[in-house]
Amino acid sequence: GSGAFVPAVVVGTGYGAAVTALRLGEAGVATLMLETGQLWNRPGPDGKVFCGMLDPDRRSTWFKNRTEAPVASFLWLDVVNRPVQPYAGVLDRVNFGQMGVYVGRGVGGGSLVNGGIAATPRRSYFEEVLPQVDAGEMYGRHFPRALAMLGANEVAADWFERTEWYRFARVAREAATKAGMRTRFVPNIYDFAYMRREAAGEVPKSALAAEVLYGSNHGKRSLDKTYLAAALGTGKVTIETLHRVTKIRREKDGTYVLTAEPIDAEGRRLAPKEIGCRYLFLGAGSLGSTELLVRARDTGTLPDLGAEVGAGWGPNGNVMAGRANRLLHPTGARQSAIAATCIDDWDDPAAPVFADVAPLPAGFETGISMYLAVTRNPERGTFVHDRATDRVGLRWEREQNAPAVAAAKSFFDRMNKANGTDYRYDLFGPRPKAFGDDFCYHPLGGCVLGRATDAYGRVAGYRHLYVNDGALIPGSIGVNPFVTITALAERNVERVLAEDIAR
Ligand code: FDA
């Protein structure tokens, strides 16, 4: 006996979830999406939906007393973070013992807070990481469809070459070129035509007003503007916000019963609900989907889940670093908050690195070149359930990031040597530190494709239970991951709709 029943439930509203809901809705399947965070469409007292990065308020952060920005200090001073009221804000940092994982909270998941970089992985690496997947079909059909649906576009080269807003990226290109490395444009889902109008003073500024990390008020094609808008447009999809799914069980007739714990935006708990469904899709991200299945296995509500559930997690080799440019090479007080270029050194056999040339829109001249390096780190973490607290933790030791740091060091050492420059040691906390290696933006894995699931995300041991998000990717993909998550979700849901779902 349960409360409400719907044919299909999708947990989460990030990339994998949004793709799944759209395709279910188009196929006529009534679908309920359950999302922990808020719908971000109402302006606050300042007339803006989101707060800016340089002036964060409670909208920035998911239930903390203080913001937790990744680049946390400047000249070792704790000048970046601010006290805030606990609130259902848009960015969360889930702090496991040795690794802080940034995730988006709200309708659109990571698309609300991320840098928008829409990178397609190198085919040879994709084939190595996901050998069960037909790469020809992915590169011929699913990647192009994902990029089109997401609204990926590139900066216009002529404008890039002359605008002050990308001086930082040109300076970084020069430094890379001197070290013999290749820089290129990387697509983004931020509308570059809108950005040019920002620069011309024709429209309200967003990327050019340091809006990233805590949401963008204009210009960004987050999922609520693309896949989720289309999903709602089918008339078959509904979204319940501020509903966190905590438990999953299965009844004898095959119905899945979820416990959802609603809260209000200040965190007051409302009465829990039970929701039944026939088809259950987990799209709560690497952390969220894995947590639900690990808890279900270890508390005995889905006892047939196997040992592969919870295994194979990785931070996509993420390492952040900043270089101090010489005075001759100012990076500009004005910087677009949206990355437009990357350095592709994945061919280096010893230490493959793909680095985003990241902005540091501080509003003053810092002389810093910032990077998010994606490296190839074979180390993996495991999610474990703690019976006493009913929490799911991540077993990941700091030393497991040593291969990623070594690759980043080899890459940036070469760049520094060629340019007569050094690292900035003052950006990642109170002690001198060149590499930001205790946090990540790209959590991947936990319910790996072909191990915890079949080759299409069907969870082993349970009919009509699916994972369709970043949890499927085994810890590494070699570039920023959301395009891969989106394209893989398109592929999987197409198959599931054709084979599993009675209509
Ligand atoms: P995603 O995390 O997007 O969505 C999961 C959703 O499920 C969230 O909305 C969450 O609140 C919800 N949820 C979780 N548990 C739940 C539960 N129990 N019940 C209900 N709802 C639940 N990638 C990239 O390709 N280019 C980039 O530039 C960047 N930049 C970047 C910057 C920052 C700051 C971050 C945090 C991340 C990025 N990323 C990125 C990473 C990218 O955003 C990420 O890989 C995807 O959002 C992951 O998509 P998923 O569909 O797996 O889950």
Side-chain angles (χ1 to χ4, degrees):
S2 54
F5 180 89
V6 282
V9 165
V10 175
V11 183
T13 57
Y15 290 91
V19 169
T20 306
L22 169 59
R23 301 309 174 198
L24 288 168
E26 284 177 341
V29 182
T31 301
L32 172 65
M33 305 184 85
L34 296 167
E35 168 57 49
T36 309
Q38 303 198 61
L39 174 63
W40 290 92
N41 67 348
R42 265 171 314 161
D46 60 355
K48 294 179 180 175
V49 173
F50 298 107
C51 63
M53 190 171 63
L54 302 177
D55 189 19
D57 59 35
R58 68 177 191 167
R59 289 171 289 185
S60 67
T61 304
W62 181 257
F63 294 108
K64 299 201 186 215
N65 294 305
R66 201 174 155 72
T67 64
E68 290 183 20
V71 177
S73 61
F74 189 78
L75 299 173
W76 294 286
L77 296 172
D78 183 8
V79 291
V80 174
N81 286 307
R82 299 267 189 288
V84 286
Q85 291 292 318
Y87 183 70
V90 73
L91 181 69
D92 195 1
R93 174 170 164 146
V94 181
N95 290 312
F96 299 108
Q98 314 257 315
M99 173 61 79
V101 182
Y102 285 97
V103 291
R105 297 272 180 234
V107 174
S111 77
L112 297 167
V113 298
N114 67 28
I117 295 169
T120 302
R122 191 169 288 217
R123 181 164 170 164
S124 56
Y125 192 58
F126 179 89
E127 288 173 348
E128 188 182 325
V129 170
L130 290 165
Q132 316 83 343
V133 178
D134 179 343
E137 195 183 275
M138 287 295 292
Y139 284 77
R141 231 153 53 76
H142 302 300
F143 277 120
R145 180 161 54 150
L147 288 164
M149 284 291 300
L150 292 167
N153 66 148
E154 270 185 21
V155 68
D158 62 331
W159 184 68
F160 173 86
E161 294 301 341
R162 66 173 192 268
T163 177
E164 60 182 327
W165 299 100
Y166 281 111
R167 179 188 304 274
F168 76 95
R170 297 194 300 269
V171 167
R173 176 179 61 189
E174 201 180 314
T177 308
K178 274 200 181 136
M181 296 165 179
R182 221 156 47 92
T183 303
R184 60 178 161 80
F185 293 127
V186 66
N188 201 291
I189 51 84
Y190 195 93
D191 181 350
F192 282 108
Y194 184 88
M195 195 190 296
R196 288 180 71 165
R197 299 183 63 208
E198 291 176 50
E202 294 166 9
V203 291
K205 286 188 171 57
S206 180
L208 304 191
E211 287 185 358
V212 68
L213 207 60
Y214 302 138
S216 298
N217 286 304
H218 310 280
K220 193 179 192 191
R221 294 161 176 152
S222 47
L223 289 166
D224 49 320
K225 314 263 187 330
T226 59
Y227 272 103
L228 291 169
L232 294 174
T234 66
K236 286 288 187 181
V237 176
T238 51
I239 305 176
E240 285 272 19
T241 59
L242 293 170
H243 275 57
R244 189 165 83 94
V245 176
T246 53
K247 294 193 188 89
I248 306 170
R249 68 168 202 271
R250 188 168 168 273
E251 310 222 303
K252 282 212 179 64
D253 67 356
T255 303
Y256 289 99
V257 180
L258 310 177
T259 305
E261 297 190 352
I263 55 170
D264 68 17
E266 273 80 33
R268 281 177 288 262
R269 285 155 167 270
L270 310 173
K273 293 180 187 169
E274 288 205 331
I275 297 156
C277 64
R278 184 162 162 75
Y279 304 100
L280 176 55
F281 293 87
L282 303 184
S286 166
L287 264 45
S289 294
T290 310
E291 172 182 345
L292 284 169
L293 292 183
V294 167
R295 180 179 293 119
R297 179 189 62 201
D298 293 1
T299 59
T301 64
L302 296 177
D304 296 338
L305 291 173
E308 286 287 353
V309 167
W313 184 85
N316 202 22
N318 280 185
V319 179
M320 272 201 108
R323 291 176 43 254
N325 286 287
R326 318 189 79 177
L327 292 178
L328 290 169
H329 298 116
T331 48
R334 297 185 133 188
Q335 299 194 9
S336 170
I338 292 297
T341 56
C342 63
I343 305 167
D344 192 342
D345 203 37
W346 200 259
D347 286 326
D348 177 2
V353 173
F354 174 93
D356 303 329
V357 174
L360 190 61
F364 54 91
E365 176 60 52
T366 65
I368 299 173
S369 288
M370 279 305 295
Y371 307 88
L372 173 64
V374 173
T375 65
R376 182 176 179 160
N377 183 355
E379 290 288 332
R380 294 293 173 261
T382 306
F383 290 91
V384 284
H385 180 250
D386 177 16
R387 200 170 282 275
T389 60
D390 197 27
R391 293 235 170 129
V392 174
L394 176 64
R395 208 175 272 153
W396 171 272
E397 306 295 327
R398 182 70 50 81
E399 303 80 72
Q400 289 184 268
N401 242 351
V405 172
K409 185 171 186 317
S410 148
F411 176 85
F412 292 113
D413 278 359
R414 265 189 291 150
M415 209 182 287
N416 280 329
K417 193 163 172 234
N419 290 276
T421 53
D422 196 1
Y423 294 96
R424 289 287 296 234
Y425 295 94
D426 58 326
L427 304 173
F428 304 109
R431 280 187 302 275
K433 194 167 162 42
F435 300 105
D437 65 336
D438 57 353
F439 63 87
C440 72
Y441 298 137
H442 301 165
L444 294 173
C447 308
V448 170
L449 191 91
R451 293 189 222 148
T453 75
D454 78 349
Y456 294 90
R458 298 173 176 112
V459 176
Y462 287 90
R463 216 163 108 81
H464 297 166
L465 175 61
Y466 310 88
V467 171
N468 209 17
D469 59 22
L472 293 174
I473 297 174
S476 166
I477 195 64
V479 293
N480 312 60
F482 74 60
V483 171
T484 308
I485 295 169
T486 304
L488 193 64
E490 288 277 20
R491 164 194 178 269
N492 295 344
V493 73
E494 184 176 276
R495 174 64 65 109
V496 165
L497 273 167
E499 293 184 351
D500 297 14
I501 300 202
R503 273 173 278 154

